[in-house]
């Protein structure tokens, strides 16, 4: 029996459009959506947040490819087959909403934010003009304004971007235009050699940005960090002197508020002093750590952030707004963002519209079509308020402190350093390596522990936590505490499970 959906489509293509076929195609689609949503609720939002279920149903690539039957064929599949596809995708995907997913700088689920995401997808509009996105143009500016006020800016500019790396790139591009406005029309040949400064623990998007913008990776001057991972201001000054000696013009310094691995915060006030003395644009990559601005207890970590020219902030991380939700915020009030990126496309940004054309914000963006990313944050913020978001941040800090205290009571764990954020970096020391720190092969043997434990936990499905080497440190684990679903019992489980997974190594 031929699939009804396919036969309807064939009639459309042949020019024989019958109303009953169209109606049937729509009704079948709505039925599928309704039943697929039930699968999503059960398999992801119910089972995916259940401690008795696995974080991941691990399969090797060849196995998974066969199970999913990924091949795209000439004809469509039946309603039941498609529902099975939905179940399979849900079953074999990593459940990032699971309380024991500690692998990334995002985790958990906020149901109000998720509702915003579903609403956004269903409305399916682009965030470039008031004409097609009236609700979201106004909403975006309200959210951006509120975020700027948390930084300490009563005025400014900003835009939602597809991730922190792009937000950082926006900052660098606008900073270059600010320093050398001729670059927009004349290109790089009209500019001197430019130098940017960033710490050795900063996000790799800095190097991607200079490569993409044509500044060149050799013009990134890497500033040393202290043991905690924070930029050393004295070395920043030394690197600026070095750049000038090479006839490079220092124009951009990137400070980090919450480094990716250690969760370190650079000393923003001291960096601001140096930036101002040297006439440089100061950017703060607060993609990870920006959310401490909600906390009265912990916002001292970003003291001086109000002195920055621009700030990247990812609410999809610590606040649980859901991927993707990233902003670039500017202290500038001269419309630099628009001047830098505007191409004045007349088919889209007509200046004789019947409403205020300043509401058509799309020309600020390097994109044309731009996903609506403000609704999920706005709806979540409306639901739990600034107070609720503050509690979310403070609870994560409290659990991180608890984990460190419990970790220090056990012989199998050694902290890489005692951080002041919610990243807990440590080595698991198996019984066979205890007391062998002075052995010649100790570091080599220790480096092999984390990959083995990671493989075991993935195949067991009990939890997920990442590891990495860093500078002179061999592989160590980075535990990230984000989800508001977590309790001290989950921290205890984590420590016990690590010991079970590594007891025979």
């Amino acid at each position: 029996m031929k699939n009804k959906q396919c036969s309807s489509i064939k009639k459309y293509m042949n020019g024989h459009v019958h109303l009953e076929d169209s109606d049937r195609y729509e009704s079948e689609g709505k039925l599928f959506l309704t039943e697929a949503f039930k699968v999503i609720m059960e398999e992801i939002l119910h089972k995916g947040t259940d401690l008795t279920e696995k974080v991941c149903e691990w399969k090797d690539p060849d196995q998974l490819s066969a199970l999913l039957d990924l091949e795209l064929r000439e004809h469509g599949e039946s309603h039941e087959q498609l529902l099975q596809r939905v179940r399979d995708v849900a079953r074999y995907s990593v459940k990032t909403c699971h309380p024991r997913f500690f692998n990334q700088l995002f985790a958990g689920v906020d149901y109000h934010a998720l509702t915003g995401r579903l609403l956004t997808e269903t409305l399916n509009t682009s965030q470039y003009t008031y004409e097609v996105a009236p609700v979201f143009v106004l909403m975006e500016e309200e959210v951006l304004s509120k975020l700027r006020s948390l930084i300490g800016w009563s005025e400014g500019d900003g835009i939602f971007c597809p991730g922190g790396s792009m937000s950082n790139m926006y900052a660098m591009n606008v900073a270059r235009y600010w320093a050398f406005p001729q670059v927009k029309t004349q290109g790089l040949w009209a500019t001197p050699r430019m130098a940017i400064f960033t710490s050795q623990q900063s996000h790799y998007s800095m190097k991607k940005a200079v490569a993409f913008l044509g500044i060149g990776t050799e013009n990134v001057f890497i500033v040393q960090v202290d043991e905690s991972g924070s930029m050393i201001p004295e070395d920043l000054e030394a690197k600026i002197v070095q750049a000038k000696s090479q006839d490079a013009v220092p124009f951009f310094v990137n400070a980090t508020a919450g480094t990716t691995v250690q969760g370190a915060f650079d000393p923003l006030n001291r960096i601001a002093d140096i930036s101002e003395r040297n006439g440089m644009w100061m950017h703060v990559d607060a993609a990870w750590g920006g959310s401490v601005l909600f906390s009265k207890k912990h916002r001292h970590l970003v003291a001086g952030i109000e002195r920055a020219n621009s700030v990247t902030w990812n609410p999809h991380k610590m606040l649980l707004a859901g991927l993707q939700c990233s902003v670039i915020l500017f202290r500038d009030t001269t419309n630099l963002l628009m001047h830098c990126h505007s191409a004045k496309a007349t088919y889209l940004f007509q200046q004789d519209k019947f409403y205020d054309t300043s509401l058509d914000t799309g020309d600020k963006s390097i994109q044309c079509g731009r996903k609506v990313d403000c609704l999920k944050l706005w709806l979540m913020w409306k639901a739990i308020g600034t107070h609720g978001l503050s509690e979310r941040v403070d609870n994560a800090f409290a659990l991180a402190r608890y984990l460190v205290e419990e970790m220090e009571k056990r012989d199998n764990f050694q902290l890489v350093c005692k951080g002041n954020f919610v990243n807990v970096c440590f080595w698991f020391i198996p019984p066979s390596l205890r007391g062998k720190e002075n052995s010649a092969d100790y570091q080599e043997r220790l480096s092999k522990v984390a990959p083995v434990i990671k493989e075991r936990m993935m195949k067991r499905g009990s939890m997920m936590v990442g590891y990495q080497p860093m500078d002179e440190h061999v592989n160590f684990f980075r535990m990230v505490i984000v989800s508001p679903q977590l309790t001290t019992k989950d921290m205890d489980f984590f420590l016990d499970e690590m010991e079970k997974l590594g007891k025979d190594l």
Side-chain angles (χ1 to χ4, degrees), residues 303-356:
I305 194 170
E306 73 282 354
R307 298 174 65 187
N309 297 93
S310 55
V311 173
T312 289
W313 186 351
N314 285 10
H316 71 234
K317 290 188 165 81
M318 200 170 195
L319 298 182
L320 273 77
L323 291 162
Q324 59 196 27
C325 191
S326 176
V327 296
I328 177 66
L329 303 167
F330 294 95
R331 181 156 51 98
D332 170 72
T333 57
T334 66
N335 218 11
L336 271 176
L337 185 60
M338 177 71 83
H339 293 318
C340 179
H341 296 133
S342 174
K344 296 182 172 62
T346 54
Y347 79 94
L348 192 58
F349 305 115
Q350 305 93 332
Q351 296 305 296
D352 55 357
K353 289 181 177 178
F354 62 92
Y355 59 82
D356 180 2

Side-chain angles (χ1 to χ4, degrees), residues 295-298 389-399:
S295 169
K296 292 178 182 177
K297 291 181 183 178
H298 303 289
L389 294 173
S390 174
E391 281 190 333
R392 188 165 287 180
V393 173
D394 288 343
N395 288 342
F397 271 88
L399 281 174

Side-chain angles (χ1 to χ4, degrees), residues 449-461:
V449 172
V452 173
I453 291 179
K454 180 62 180 278
E455 179 182 356
R456 289 178 177 182
M457 77 169 68
M458 291 290 290
K459 290 182 175 178
R460 188 161 166 168

Side-chain angles (χ1 to χ4, degrees), residues 22-69:
S22 175
D23 288 344
R24 185 164 61 247
Y25 181 58
E26 184 171 349
S27 64
E28 287 175 354
K30 288 178 179 177
L31 176 63
F32 175 72
L33 178 61
T34 301
E35 295 191 8
F37 187 73
K38 291 177 183 176
V39 174
I40 292 168
M41 288 293 293
E42 177 61 25
E43 298 297 325
I44 301 175
L45 297 177
H46 177 61
K47 289 183 180 178
T49 57
D50 186 341
L51 289 174
T52 64
E53 297 283 341
K54 292 183 178 182
V55 177
C56 172
E57 184 73 44
W58 178 260
K59 300 292 179 186
D60 290 326
D62 289 345
Q63 284 181 294
L64 186 58
S65 182
L67 282 167
L68 295 175
D69 186 16

Side-chain angles (χ1 to χ4, degrees), residues 125-129 132 160 162 170 324 347-349 362 365-373:
T125 194
S126 181
Q127 180 90 52
Y128 41 40
T129 65
V132 295
F160 277 79
Y170 267 76
Q324 59 196 27
Y347 79 94
L348 192 58
F349 305 115
S365 170
I366 59 172
Q367 301 165 255
C368 178
R370 186 161 65 91
K371 190 176 176 64
V372 172
D373 287 328

Side-chain angles (χ1 to χ4, degrees), residues 191-242:
T191 65
R193 179 187 175 192
M194 292 172 276
I196 78 154
F197 305 86
T198 193
S199 88
Q200 67 187 94
Q201 297 301 329
S202 65
H203 194 257
Y204 67 91
S205 57
M206 284 295 119
K207 287 189 175 179
K208 289 209 170 202
V210 294
F212 187 81
L213 295 173
I215 294 170
T217 56
E218 291 182 2
N219 295 313
V220 179
F221 289 78
I222 302 298
V223 183
Q224 298 301 305
V225 297
D226 61 21
E227 185 180 323
S228 71
S230 299
M231 182 188 286
I232 300 172
E234 292 80 6
D235 194 56
L236 171 61
E237 292 189 287
K239 291 300 193 301
I240 292 171
V241 171
Q242 180 186 344

Side-chain angles (χ1 to χ4, degrees), residues 397-407 488-489 491-492:
F397 271 88
L399 281 174
R401 298 293 81 79
Y402 174 85
L403 179 65
V404 169
E405 289 170 6
E406 292 301 308
M407 196 174 275
T488 55
K489 290 182 179 179
M491 301 299 99
D492 294 336

Side-chain angles (χ1 to χ4, degrees), residues 84-358:
Q84 187 57 46
R85 302 299 183 207
V86 176
R87 293 187 191 96
D88 289 343
V89 168
R91 179 179 179 184
Y92 297 112
S93 291
V94 174
K95 308 305 187 297
T96 66
C97 55
H98 195 285
R100 289 168 185 166
F101 175 81
F102 310 116
N103 208 68
Q104 253 62 51
L105 300 183
F106 63 88
V109 60
D110 180 280
Y111 293 99
H112 297 99
L114 178 58
T115 302
R117 290 153 71 189
L118 294 169
L119 188 52
T120 295
E121 292 298 324
T122 308
L123 288 167
N124 191 39
T125 194
S126 181
Q127 180 90 52
Y128 41 40
T129 65
Y130 184 79
E131 183 177 336
V132 295
V135 171
F136 302 128
V137 165
L138 299 179
M139 185 182 289
E140 180 177 53
E141 183 44 46
E142 174 60 26
V143 174
L144 292 171
S145 176
K146 194 71 173 179
L147 293 174
R148 286 195 300 266
S149 71
L150 287 167
I151 291 173
W153 299 336
S154 58
E155 296 180 283
D157 204 351
I159 198 168
F160 277 79
C161 300
S165 292
M166 285 299 296
S167 292
N168 287 338
M169 193 178 294
Y170 267 76
M172 193 180 294
N173 199 40
V174 171
R176 182 176 64 176
Y177 178 81
W178 164 78
F180 309 104
Q182 69 273 22
V183 73
K184 181 175 180 179
T185 52
Q186 298 176 38
L188 287 172
W189 72 320
T191 65
R193 179 187 175 192
M194 292 172 276
I196 78 154
F197 305 86
T198 193
S199 88
Q200 67 187 94
Q201 297 301 329
S202 65
H203 194 257
Y204 67 91
S205 57
M206 284 295 119
K207 287 189 175 179
K208 289 209 170 202
V210 294
F212 187 81
L213 295 173
I215 294 170
T217 56
E218 291 182 2
N219 295 313
V220 179
F221 289 78
I222 302 298
V223 183
Q224 298 301 305
V225 297
D226 61 21
E227 185 180 323
S228 71
S230 299
M231 182 188 286
I232 300 172
E234 292 80 6
D235 194 56
L236 171 61
E237 292 189 287
K239 291 300 193 301
I240 292 171
V241 171
Q242 180 186 344
K244 289 178 178 178
S245 73
Q246 297 175 10
D247 295 325
V249 178
F251 85 102
F252 183 93
V253 59
N254 172 64
T256 308
T259 57
T260 306
V261 178
Q262 289 182 273
F265 289 78
D266 290 343
L268 302 183
N269 270 314
R270 294 190 64 189
I271 293 170
D273 291 340
I274 296 167
S275 299
E276 288 168 9
R277 283 200 301 271
N278 289 276
M280 296 191 301
W281 181 285
M282 177 182 168
H283 173 65
V284 178
D285 177 3
W288 177 216
S291 296
V292 300
L293 286 163
F294 278 97
S295 169
K296 292 178 182 177
K297 291 181 183 178
H298 303 289
R299 65 172 294 136
H300 67 273
L301 292 169
V302 290
I305 194 170
E306 73 282 354
R307 298 174 65 187
N309 297 93
S310 55
V311 173
T312 289
W313 186 351
N314 285 10
H316 71 234
K317 290 188 165 81
M318 200 170 195
L319 298 182
L320 273 77
L323 291 162
Q324 59 196 27
C325 191
S326 176
V327 296
I328 177 66
L329 303 167
F330 294 95
R331 181 156 51 98
D332 170 72
T333 57
T334 66
N335 218 11
L336 271 176
L337 185 60
M338 177 71 83
H339 293 318
C340 179
H341 296 133
S342 174
K344 296 182 172 62
T346 54
Y347 79 94
L348 192 58
F349 305 115
Q350 305 93 332
Q351 296 305 296
D352 55 357
K353 289 181 177 178
F354 62 92
Y355 59 82
D356 180 2
T357 56
S358 68

